[in-house]
Amino acid sequence: MKEFIQTLKNIWSLKELRDKIILTLSLVLVYRFASYISLPAINMAEVGNLLQHYQNQGGNQQGAGLLGLLSSFTGGAFSRASIMALGIMPYISASIIVQLMGMAIPYLQKLQKDGESGRNTLNQITRWLTIAVCLVQAPSYLTSVTQFFLPYGQFQSAYYIDPNSIMFWLPSIVILVAGSVFAMWLGEKITDKGIGNGISILIMVGILADLPTAFIQEFSTQTGKGGFGTIMILVEVLFWLLVVLLAIILSVAVRKIPIQYVSRAQARGDVNRNLMQGARQWIPLKVNAAGVMPIIFAQALMFVPGLLTKVDESNTFLAGFKNVFSWQYNVLFALLIIIFSFFYTAITIPVNQMADDLKRNGGLIPKVRPGKETADYLDDILSKITLPGAIFLSIFAVLPAIVHGAFVQTDRFALFFGGTSLLIMVGVILDTVQQINTYLLNHHYDGLMQSKLSRTTNVE
């Protein structure tokens, strides 16, 4: 505890780091404040009853869980009909689209290799594409609100303007697009002027904002009539901490591939024989190289099976795909995650380029010939470690459904036991701590994450 307090003092004593943290917190507060501003045409008091009404309708428990899942990424702004209802997700979607298009479009491939100027052009393309995605998602969101969640026939008092008029749609679409662009701007400012990872931090804050309310709701349910009592709350908290620990292990687990670098002088035999082995380093191949992207891809497709219920609404098997806690939904979800894990890892880790770079720089893997054999070796190792990583990732994704059926009583709290929410929180927190640690190491302080180097290096 004493070391932790000293670390906080070290952080506060660095003016540059202190200013970055204060700016980051200020922009996060602006983002959270904006998420409570409702669309001008909608009565906020009525919108507050949306989820309760939705759950009280026959067969709408599935939709409520789905709405809660969508709302968690925007910190509740989605369910409050806020001006920030679309949040930062359109920017994430645009970034994914640009990344995938980069594999097929030569112009984007060229930009990816052009250094800083190419990255700036790609960022500008992503921004414009974000607006295009917003123009598609904003009408879809308004349609879901006006026809599905708050139908005008039953909730006329929830609207100041008739939702069927152009005076409702045009200003609302413009405001939703502006809100999403504003969130994108806040994220980029945190990245440039704050502690970094701005977009990820906004997503994490939106997820964490719902955690206290979800826990209070679960506590009230467990300690109330029909619950299992306070002891079950303790069991849930301990199990949640265990899941977080496992998520951290999954995020940082790597397979180290030993690399030897031999200089040209060593290759000619012009140096002492003891130096012939060269400098040994490692290639760290992550067990979960794809991160949370397979879950995001899979969730994007999981809305499609739910549409099949319109073909035959009496089919109970198809109806299960609308419920995020059903076995039908989660079995298909897990299979898609495993498939996308291999797909995304294959397109983001260029083993052929890695092998060429090693050969060009005089690096080699012991007992493996440079060139094609090195690429095949790396690809084989990557395939072997991706399978267990994909399986563990799919288990994390379906864990909310498992705990919800076992001991967790409420939908909202169950969503924090796995899936995208937990992995995003863990990943962003680890990256943020690492960045703060880097600042501290640059100023000769021991960081938040003690490493062997920081413990043994003594800078005068």
mmCIF file of all heavy atoms in Angstrom, residues 27-42:
data_model
loop_
_atom_site.group_PDB
_atom_site.id
_atom_site.type_symbol
_atom_site.label_atom_id
_atom_site.label_comp_id
_atom_site.label_asym_id
_atom_site.label_seq_id
_atom_site.Cartn_x
_atom_site.Cartn_y
_atom_site.Cartn_z
ATOM 1 N N LEU A 27 -12.369 15.586 -20.247
ATOM 2 C CA LEU A 27 -13.071 15.219 -21.484
ATOM 3 C C LEU A 27 -14.011 14.044 -21.260
ATOM 4 O O LEU A 27 -15.089 13.979 -21.863
ATOM 5 C CB LEU A 27 -12.051 14.885 -22.577
ATOM 6 C CG LEU A 27 -11.177 16.053 -23.044
ATOM 7 C CD1 LEU A 27 -10.191 15.596 -24.117
ATOM 8 C CD2 LEU A 27 -12.030 17.189 -23.573
ATOM 9 N N VAL A 28 -13.640 13.122 -20.372
ATOM 10 C CA VAL A 28 -14.527 12.008 -20.039
ATOM 11 C C VAL A 28 -15.780 12.519 -19.345
ATOM 12 O O VAL A 28 -16.902 12.058 -19.625
ATOM 13 C CB VAL A 28 -13.785 10.979 -19.151
ATOM 14 C CG1 VAL A 28 -14.770 9.995 -18.533
ATOM 15 C CG2 VAL A 28 -12.758 10.225 -19.967
ATOM 16 N N LEU A 29 -15.627 13.504 -18.456
ATOM 17 C CA LEU A 29 -16.791 14.101 -17.780
ATOM 18 C C LEU A 29 -17.713 14.787 -18.784
ATOM 19 O O LEU A 29 -18.941 14.705 -18.664
ATOM 20 C CB LEU A 29 -16.325 15.095 -16.720
ATOM 21 C CG LEU A 29 -15.727 14.499 -15.444
ATOM 22 C CD1 LEU A 29 -15.225 15.600 -14.521
ATOM 23 C CD2 LEU A 29 -16.767 13.643 -14.714
ATOM 24 N N VAL A 30 -17.133 15.461 -19.775
ATOM 25 C CA VAL A 30 -17.948 16.088 -20.826
ATOM 26 C C VAL A 30 -18.746 15.029 -21.580
ATOM 27 O O VAL A 30 -19.944 15.200 -21.862
ATOM 28 C CB VAL A 30 -17.048 16.893 -21.790
ATOM 29 C CG1 VAL A 30 -17.844 17.367 -23.002
ATOM 30 C CG2 VAL A 30 -16.428 18.083 -21.073
ATOM 31 N N TYR A 31 -18.086 13.927 -21.904
ATOM 32 C CA TYR A 31 -18.755 12.827 -22.619
ATOM 33 C C TYR A 31 -19.900 12.248 -21.804
ATOM 34 O O TYR A 31 -20.990 12.007 -22.326
ATOM 35 C CB TYR A 31 -17.722 11.747 -22.943
ATOM 36 C CG TYR A 31 -18.297 10.516 -23.613
ATOM 37 C CD1 TYR A 31 -18.707 10.552 -24.935
ATOM 38 C CD2 TYR A 31 -18.420 9.313 -22.911
ATOM 39 C CE1 TYR A 31 -19.230 9.427 -25.560
ATOM 40 C CE2 TYR A 31 -18.937 8.186 -23.523
ATOM 41 C CZ TYR A 31 -19.339 8.249 -24.840
ATOM 42 O OH TYR A 31 -19.863 7.131 -25.442
ATOM 43 N N ARG A 32 -19.665 12.034 -20.503
ATOM 44 C CA ARG A 32 -20.714 11.476 -19.648
ATOM 45 C C ARG A 32 -21.857 12.467 -19.456
ATOM 46 O O ARG A 32 -23.028 12.076 -19.416
ATOM 47 C CB ARG A 32 -20.128 11.095 -18.283
ATOM 48 C CG ARG A 32 -19.182 9.929 -18.322
ATOM 49 C CD ARG A 32 -19.852 8.669 -18.841
ATOM 50 N NE ARG A 32 -21.014 8.324 -18.045
ATOM 51 C CZ ARG A 32 -22.105 7.767 -18.510
ATOM 52 N NH1 ARG A 32 -22.201 7.495 -19.799
ATOM 53 N NH2 ARG A 32 -23.108 7.469 -17.713
ATOM 54 N N PHE A 33 -21.536 13.747 -19.344
ATOM 55 C CA PHE A 33 -22.589 14.759 -19.200
ATOM 56 C C PHE A 33 -23.464 14.795 -20.445
ATOM 57 O O PHE A 33 -24.700 14.865 -20.352
ATOM 58 C CB PHE A 33 -21.956 16.138 -18.957
ATOM 59 C CG PHE A 33 -22.950 17.255 -18.887
ATOM 60 C CD1 PHE A 33 -23.714 17.470 -17.749
ATOM 61 C CD2 PHE A 33 -23.121 18.111 -19.979
ATOM 62 C CE1 PHE A 33 -24.638 18.498 -17.695
ATOM 63 C CE2 PHE A 33 -24.042 19.138 -19.935
ATOM 64 C CZ PHE A 33 -24.813 19.336 -18.785
ATOM 65 N N ALA A 34 -22.829 14.737 -21.631
ATOM 66 C CA ALA A 34 -23.598 14.791 -22.879
ATOM 67 C C ALA A 34 -24.503 13.579 -23.039
ATOM 68 O O ALA A 34 -25.565 13.662 -23.683
ATOM 69 C CB ALA A 34 -22.647 14.899 -24.071
ATOM 70 N N SER A 35 -24.127 12.443 -22.444
ATOM 71 C CA SER A 35 -24.951 11.230 -22.584
ATOM 72 C C SER A 35 -26.285 11.345 -21.845
ATOM 73 O O SER A 35 -27.166 10.512 -22.046
ATOM 74 C CB SER A 35 -24.173 10.010 -22.079
ATOM 75 O OG SER A 35 -23.991 10.073 -20.678
ATOM 76 N N TYR A 36 -26.425 12.355 -20.987
ATOM 77 C CA TYR A 36 -27.679 12.551 -20.261
ATOM 78 C C TYR A 36 -28.569 13.615 -20.900
ATOM 79 O O TYR A 36 -29.642 13.925 -20.374
ATOM 80 C CB TYR A 36 -27.390 12.943 -18.804
ATOM 81 C CG TYR A 36 -26.970 11.779 -17.951
ATOM 82 C CD1 TYR A 36 -25.632 11.427 -17.840
ATOM 83 C CD2 TYR A 36 -27.906 11.008 -17.260
ATOM 84 C CE1 TYR A 36 -25.231 10.345 -17.073
ATOM 85 C CE2 TYR A 36 -27.519 9.920 -16.492
ATOM 86 C CZ TYR A 36 -26.177 9.601 -16.404
ATOM 87 O OH TYR A 36 -25.783 8.522 -15.638
ATOM 88 N N ILE A 37 -28.135 14.165 -22.024
ATOM 89 C CA ILE A 37 -28.948 15.155 -22.734
ATOM 90 C C ILE A 37 -29.797 14.415 -23.769
ATOM 91 O O ILE A 37 -29.274 13.793 -24.686
ATOM 92 C CB ILE A 37 -28.063 16.203 -23.430
ATOM 93 C CG1 ILE A 37 -27.162 16.898 -22.397
ATOM 94 C CG2 ILE A 37 -28.920 17.227 -24.156
ATOM 95 C CD1 ILE A 37 -26.178 17.871 -23.014
ATOM 96 N N SER A 38 -31.107 14.481 -23.609
ATOM 97 C CA SER A 38 -31.997 13.735 -24.504
ATOM 98 C C SER A 38 -32.245 14.505 -25.793
ATOM 99 O O SER A 38 -31.995 15.720 -25.880
ATOM 100 C CB SER A 38 -33.328 13.452 -23.814
ATOM 101 O OG SER A 38 -33.988 14.665 -23.505
ATOM 102 N N LEU A 39 -32.719 13.795 -26.781
ATOM 103 C CA LEU A 39 -33.101 14.435 -28.038
ATOM 104 C C LEU A 39 -34.208 15.456 -27.770
ATOM 105 O O LEU A 39 -35.123 15.191 -26.973
ATOM 106 C CB LEU A 39 -33.587 13.389 -29.043
ATOM 107 C CG LEU A 39 -32.527 12.434 -29.585
ATOM 108 C CD1 LEU A 39 -33.172 11.324 -30.400
ATOM 109 C CD2 LEU A 39 -31.507 13.177 -30.431
ATOM 110 N N PRO A 40 -34.156 16.619 -28.414
ATOM 111 C CA PRO A 40 -35.122 17.676 -28.109
ATOM 112 C C PRO A 40 -36.579 17.276 -28.333
ATOM 113 O O PRO A 40 -37.470 17.812 -27.677
ATOM 114 C CB PRO A 40 -34.720 18.801 -29.071
ATOM 115 C CG PRO A 40 -33.296 18.528 -29.414
ATOM 116 C CD PRO A 40 -33.145 17.044 -29.386
ATOM 117 N N ALA A 41 -36.830 16.326 -29.242
ATOM 118 C CA ALA A 41 -38.205 15.976 -29.575
ATOM 119 C C ALA A 41 -38.789 14.912 -28.661
ATOM 120 O O ALA A 41 -39.960 14.550 -28.797
ATOM 121 C CB ALA A 41 -38.277 15.490 -31.020
ATOM 122 N N ILE A 42 -37.995 14.404 -27.707
ATOM 123 C CA ILE A 42 -38.450 13.292 -26.860
ATOM 124 C C ILE A 42 -38.495 13.728 -25.406
ATOM 125 O O ILE A 42 -37.586 14.408 -24.911
ATOM 126 C CB ILE A 42 -37.530 12.074 -27.033
ATOM 127 C CG1 ILE A 42 -37.607 11.554 -28.468
ATOM 128 C CG2 ILE A 42 -37.898 10.961 -26.066
ATOM 129 C CD1 ILE A 42 -36.752 10.351 -28.745
#
